C-alpha cells in the first residue's frame, strides 16, 4: 500500500473550490436525499442573514473579497483513484447545488450582472452535461431544474427525486426579497468565494468511515451547539451540578437528533428566539441584524453577549437554565416535532400537522412563545391548540386570497406577533390572536373567485383535503385527512369535475379561455385517487357522477344516492343547513353554487371564534 493511501488531508476550501469542475459520486448504500423544509430554511436563512450583516449598498463588488469568511461545517471524502466519493456531507452539497441552480435562474430573470456559476453545478464533456453530484437516478430531475426551473417527477421516481423537486420549489420563498436585486451578484460572489467548508479527504474507505464515526459518535465535530454547551457548563459549579446539566443536555440533543436530522440545533434556535429575542431586522436598506437574526446565525455568541440580560448571573442560574428551562422547552419542542410528523384527529396538537403540511416552519417559535415554565399540562395543550388554530386560519385565508405563505413573506410579521404573545395566559392569548384575525381584511368572504393555477395547486390540495375531512368526520366516519394528503398507498390528486373539453360547453362560454377559467374555480374541484382520475378524466359529468358516489363524501354528494343511503351525512346536512345538493347536470351555475358551498364549509372549519371557545371564553368581546 502506498504512503498516499494511508494519508488524510484536511483543508478549508471555498464553495467554488469544492464544486468547480468537480464530480462527486455517492456509494449505492448511501441514503437518499432527505432534507426537509426545516433544514433548507436553516441553511438559506443562515447564509443570507450572515451576508446581510456584512453587505452595504454603497460597497463596490470588490469589497466582497474583504468580507469575513463564513464556515459551513465539514465534509468527508473518500478518494478512490481519480474519483471522489462523498462519505459525509451529501445533504449539504446537494442543497448547495439546488441553491446555485436557483441563483443561476434568478440572475437570468432579474437581468442583474451575471456571476458565472454554471461550472459549480455541472461540467461538460463532448457536449454532455454531468452534475457535480453524479447520481444516475437524479440526473433527469437535475437537468429539468437546471434548464426549466421545474420537473414533474414520475410516480416511480426514487425518494430523492421527489425531495429535490419539493426543496427546489421552496427556495424562492425562503430567499429574501432584499437580495432579489442589486445585491444579488454580491451575494453570489460571497457565497462561492467567502463561504468555506473543511474538506477532509481519506484515500481508503476504512479511514474515511473511521473519521466519520469519530466526528459524529464521539462528539469531536465542534458545532455552535457544542460551543454553547461548553459555555454554559463552564459557568456551572464543578461536581454534581455540572454533571447533571451535562447528562441532561446530552440526552436531549441525542433524542432530538434521533427524531430528525439537525433537530437539536433547530430546537436551540427556536427556544432562544421564542423566549429571549426582542427585535428582528427591519425590512429596509442598511438595517442592522437584531437579536432574532443573530440567534439564527450565531446563537452561542449571542448568548455569551446577552447572558446577564436574560438572568445568567450565577452558577445556580446557569444550572437552572439547563436543568429546568432547556428541559421544559425541549420536551415541548419534541412534542411539536412529533405532531408535525404524525396525526391524531382528536389531539389538540392536530393543527400543528396541518400547518406543517403547508411547510410553515415559523409556527414552532410561535407555539413555544406563550409557554411558561409553571404552566400545567392542560394549559400547555390549550395554548398550543390556540396558536395552532390561529396559524391554521391565517394560512387558509391567505391561500384563499392568493397570498403568499412562504417563510420570507411571513417571517417579519409572524415574529413581531410572537413577541406580543410571549408568556400570555390562555385567555390573553386567545383574545390577542382573535383580535389579530378580526383585523385581517382578507377572509373567505373577500374572494368569491378562487381559482387553481400551477403555483397554488398543492395548497388547494390541502384545502380540499380539510373540507373533505370535515364533511367525513362530521358525518360520523373516521378522518381521511392523512389518506388524502400523505401520498402513501393510494395517491390522491385534484380532479376537475368538468373534463377539459371546451366544445361541450359552447352554450355557456363563447371563448375557450372563459371555459378554462371557470373550470379552474374551486367549485369544479374534488380530490380523487389518481387511478380513478386518470381512468375517467375525459368522461362527461353524467358518466362520472355515479362513480363519485363510491368516493369520499364531498365527491359523493354530487350524486342523489348520497342523500338516500348515508344517514350520517344526511344528518350532518340537516343539522348544519349547508346547501348540499345533487346535480343531474353540472353547469356554469353549478360550479358557482358548489364554490359557495365550499366557502360555507370553510367558514366552519376555520372559524376564529373557536380560539375563544378553546380558552373557555363564551363569545367575542
Amino acid at each position: 500500500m502506498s504512503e498516499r493511501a494511508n494519508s488524510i488531508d484536511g483543508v478549508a476550501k471555498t464553495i467554488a473550490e469544492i464544486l468547480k469542475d468537480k464530480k462527486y459520486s455517492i456509494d449505492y448504500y448511501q441514503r437518499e436525499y432527505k432534507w426537509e423544509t426545516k433544514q433548507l430554511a436553516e441553511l438559506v436563512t443562515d447564509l443570507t442573514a450572515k451576508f446581510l450583516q456584512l453587505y452595504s449598498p454603497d460597497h463596490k463588488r470588490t469589497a466582497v473579497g474583504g468580507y469575513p469568511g463564513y464556515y459551513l461545517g465539514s465534509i468527508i471524502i473518500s478518494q478512490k483513484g481519480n474519483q471522489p466519493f462523498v462519505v459525509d456531507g451529501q445533504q449539504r452539497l446537494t442543497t448547495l447545488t439546488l441553491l446555485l441552480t436557483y441563483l443561476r435562474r434568478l440572475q437570468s430573470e432579474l437581468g442583474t450582472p451575471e456571476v458565472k456559476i454554471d461550472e459549480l453545478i455541472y461540467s461538460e464533456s463532448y457536449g454532455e452535461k454531468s452534475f457535480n453530484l453524479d447520481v444516475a437516478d437524479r440526473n433527469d430531475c437535475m437537468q429539468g431544474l437546471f434548464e426549466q426551473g421545474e420537473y414533474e417527477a414520475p410516480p416511480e421516481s426514487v425518494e430523492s427525486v421527489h425531495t429535490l423537486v419539493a426543496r427546489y420549489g421552496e427556495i424562492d420563498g425562503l430567499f429574501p426579497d432584499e437580495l432579489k436585486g442589486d445585491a444579488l451578484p454580491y451575494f453570489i460572489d460571497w457565497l462561492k468565494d467567502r463561504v468555506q467548508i473543511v474538506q477532509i479527504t481519506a484515500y481508503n474507505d476504512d479511514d474515511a468511515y473511521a473519521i466519520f464515526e469519530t466526528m459524529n459518535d464521539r462528539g469531536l465535530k465542534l458545532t455552535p451547539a457544542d460551543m454553547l454547551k461548553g459555555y454554559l457548563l463552564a459557568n456551572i459549579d464543578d461536581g454534581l451540578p455540572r454533571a447533571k446539566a451535562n447528562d441532561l443536555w446530552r440526552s436531549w440533543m441525542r433524542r432530538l437528533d434521533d427524531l430528525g436530522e439537525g433537530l437539536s440545533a433547530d430546537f436551540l434556535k427556536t427556544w432562544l428566539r421564542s423566549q429571549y429575542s426582542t427585535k428582528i431586522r427591519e425590512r429596509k436598506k442598511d438595517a442592522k441584524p437584531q437579536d432574532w437574526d443573530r440567534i439564527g446565525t450565531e446563537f452561542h455568541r449571542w448568548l455569551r453577549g446577552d447572558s446577564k440580560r436574560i438572568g445568567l448571573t450565577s452558577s445556580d442560574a446557569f444550572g437552572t437554565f439547563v436543568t429546568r428551562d432547556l428541559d421544559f422547552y425541549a420536551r415541548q419542542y419534541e412534542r411539536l416535532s412529533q405532531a408535525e410528523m404524525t396525526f391524531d384527529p382528536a389531539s389538540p396538537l392536530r393543527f400543528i400537522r396541518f400547518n406543517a403540511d403547508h411547510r410553515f416552519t415559523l409556527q414552532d417559535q410561535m407555539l413555544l412563545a406563550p409557554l411558561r415554565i409553571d404552566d400545567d399540562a392542560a394549559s400547555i395543550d390549550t395554548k398550543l391548540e390556540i396558536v395552532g388554530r390561529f396559524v391554521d386560519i391565517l394560512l387558509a385565508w391567505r391561500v384563499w386570497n392568493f397570498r403568499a405563505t412562504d417563510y420570507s413573506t411571513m417571517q417579519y410579521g409572524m415574529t413581531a406577533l410572537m413577541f406580543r404573545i410571549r408568556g400570555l395566559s390562555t385567555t390573553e392569548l386567545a383574545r390577542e390572536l382573535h383580535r389579530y384575525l378580526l383585523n385581517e381584511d382578507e377572509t373567505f368572504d373577500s374572494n368569491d373567485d378562487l381559482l387553481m393555477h400551477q403555483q397554488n395547486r398543492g395548497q388547494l390540495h390541502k384545502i380540499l383535503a380539510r373540507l373533505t375531512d370535515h364533511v367525513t368526520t362530521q358525518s360520523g366516519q373516521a378522518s381521511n385527512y392523512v389518506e388524502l394528503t400523505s401520498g402513501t398507498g393510494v395517491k390522491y390528486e385534484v380532479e376537475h369535475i368538468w373534463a377539459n373539453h371546451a366544445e361541450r360547453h359552447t352554450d355557456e362560454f363563447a371563448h375557450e379561455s372563459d371555459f378554462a377559467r371557470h373550470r379552474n374555480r374551486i367549485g369544479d374541484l374534488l380530490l380523487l385517487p389518481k387511478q380513478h382520475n386518470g381512468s375517467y378524466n375525459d368522461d362527461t359529468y353524467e358518466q362520472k357522477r355515479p362513480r363519485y358516489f363510491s368516493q369520499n363524501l364531498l365527491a359523493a354528494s354530487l350524486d342523489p344516492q348520497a342523500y338516500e343511503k348515508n344517514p350520517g351525512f344526511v344528518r350532518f346536512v340537516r343539522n348544519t343547513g349547508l346547501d348540499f345538493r345533487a346535480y343531474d347536470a353540472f353547469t356554469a351555475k353549478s360550479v358557482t353554487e358548489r364554490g359557495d358551498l365550499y366557502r360555507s364549509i370553510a367558514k366552519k372549519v376555520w372559524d376564529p371564534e373557536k380560539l375563544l371557545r378553546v380558552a373557555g371564553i363564551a363569545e367575542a368581546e
Side-chain angles (χ1 to χ4, degrees), residues 495-499 504-505 507-509 515 518-519 521-526 540-542 544-545 548 554-555 557-559 581-595 597-598:
E495 145 94 340
H496 290 86
I497 297 173
W498 280 350
R504 297 176 183 172
H505 300 269
D507 58 327
E508 294 189 296
F509 301 100
F515 160 77
H518 206 74
R519 180 174 181 262
R521 296 183 71 174
I522 193 168
D524 192 57
L525 305 179
L526 297 168
T540 64
Y541 169 74
E542 290 75 16
K544 291 179 180 181
R545 194 191 66 187
Y548 287 158
L554 194 60
S557 66
L558 290 163
D559 189 275
R581 66 182 72 176
Y583 289 91
D584 293 330
F586 205 69
T587 65
K589 181 184 177 184
S590 307
V591 173
T592 302
E593 290 175 347
R594 187 82 172 173
L597 170 65
Y598 285 4

Side-chain angles (χ1 to χ4, degrees), residues 281-296:
R281 179 182 177 274
E282 294 183 70
R283 295 295 184 88
K284 63 182 183 181
K285 287 185 177 180
D286 301 326
K288 299 295 184 185
Q290 300 297 325
D291 51 9
W292 187 92
D293 309 281
R294 292 190 58 219
I295 291 171

Side-chain angles (χ1 to χ4, degrees), residues 159-170:
E159 177 187 356
S160 290
V161 168
H162 294 282
T163 309
L164 285 166
V165 173
R167 297 295 82 77
Y168 182 85
E170 293 166 355

Side-chain angles (χ1 to χ4, degrees), residues 109-124:
E109 291 169 1
L110 295 176
T112 56
E114 183 179 353
V115 183
K116 293 183 178 180
I117 53 177
D118 284 12
E119 59 196 3
L120 309 186
I121 303 169
Y122 74 93
S123 56
E124 189 166 344

Side-chain angles (χ1 to χ4, degrees), residues 348-417:
L349 307 190
R350 63 192 181 279
F351 301 95
I352 297 172
R353 169 63 184 268
F354 297 147
N355 301 331
D357 284 349
H358 277 292
R359 307 292 182 188
F360 189 72
T361 59
L362 289 163
Q363 73 165 330
D364 289 344
Q365 63 174 12
M366 299 178 68
L367 289 160
L368 289 185
L371 303 187
R372 299 189 296 219
I373 299 291
D374 57 356
D375 282 338
D376 59 28
S379 297
I380 291 170
D381 281 0
T382 300
K383 288 182 178 183
L384 294 177
E385 180 173 357
I386 290 169
V387 175
R389 280 184 181 273
F390 164 80
V391 172
D392 184 38
I393 294 168
L394 187 63
L395 293 179
W397 283 357
R398 290 185 69 87
V399 171
W400 198 273
N401 287 277
F402 305 109
R403 297 301 181 194
T405 60
D406 58 79
Y407 184 94
S408 179
T409 300
M410 301 194 69
Q411 175 194 67
Y412 189 87
M414 290 300 98
T415 299
L417 180 59

Side-chain angles (χ1 to χ4, degrees), residues 406-522:
D406 58 79
Y407 184 94
S408 179
T409 300
M410 301 194 69
Q411 175 194 67
Y412 189 87
M414 290 300 98
T415 299
L417 180 59
M418 179 196 77
F419 298 150
R420 285 162 43 192
I421 64 174
R422 179 179 292 146
L424 296 184
S425 68
T426 54
T427 54
E428 292 169 335
L429 179 65
R431 287 181 175 129
E432 177 68 26
L433 296 181
H434 179 262
R435 190 158 44 240
Y436 186 103
L437 291 174
L438 291 188
N439 287 327
E440 285 288 295
D441 294 327
E442 294 180 316
T443 67
F444 296 121
D445 287 327
S446 58
N447 178 27
D448 60 0
D449 194 22
L450 178 56
L451 304 172
M452 183 177 70
H453 51 75
Q454 190 60 39
Q455 286 69 43
N456 73 353
R457 190 183 192 97
Q459 293 175 316
L460 287 191
H461 188 131
K462 305 298 188 304
I463 295 289
L464 288 167
R466 295 289 300 285
L467 300 179
T468 305
D469 184 61
H470 180 76
V471 174
T472 302
T473 57
Q474 295 303 303
S475 298
Q477 299 182 16
S479 170
N480 57 354
Y481 174 77
V482 173
E483 176 189 352
L484 295 169
T485 58
S486 67
T488 58
V490 176
K491 182 176 177 63
Y492 281 77
E493 290 185 337
V494 179
E495 145 94 340
H496 290 86
I497 297 173
W498 280 350
N500 192 16
H501 287 283
E503 70 276 7
R504 297 176 183 172
H505 300 269
T506 53
D507 58 327
E508 294 189 296
F509 301 100
H511 300 286
E512 190 171 329
S513 59
D514 295 332
F515 160 77
R517 191 178 195 282
H518 206 74
R519 180 174 181 262
N520 278 315
R521 296 183 71 174
I522 193 168

Side-chain angles (χ1 to χ4, degrees), residues 326-363:
L326 179 142
D327 183 56
F328 174 81
Y329 288 102
R331 194 173 307 280
Q332 301 312 319
Y333 186 81
E334 181 183 49
R335 296 181 68 212
L336 305 187
S337 299
Q338 290 169 334
E340 290 174 358
M341 296 181 285
T342 58
F343 182 68
D344 178 355
S347 170
L349 307 190
R350 63 192 181 279
F351 301 95
I352 297 172
R353 169 63 184 268
F354 297 147
N355 301 331
D357 284 349
H358 277 292
R359 307 292 182 188
F360 189 72
T361 59
L362 289 163
Q363 73 165 330

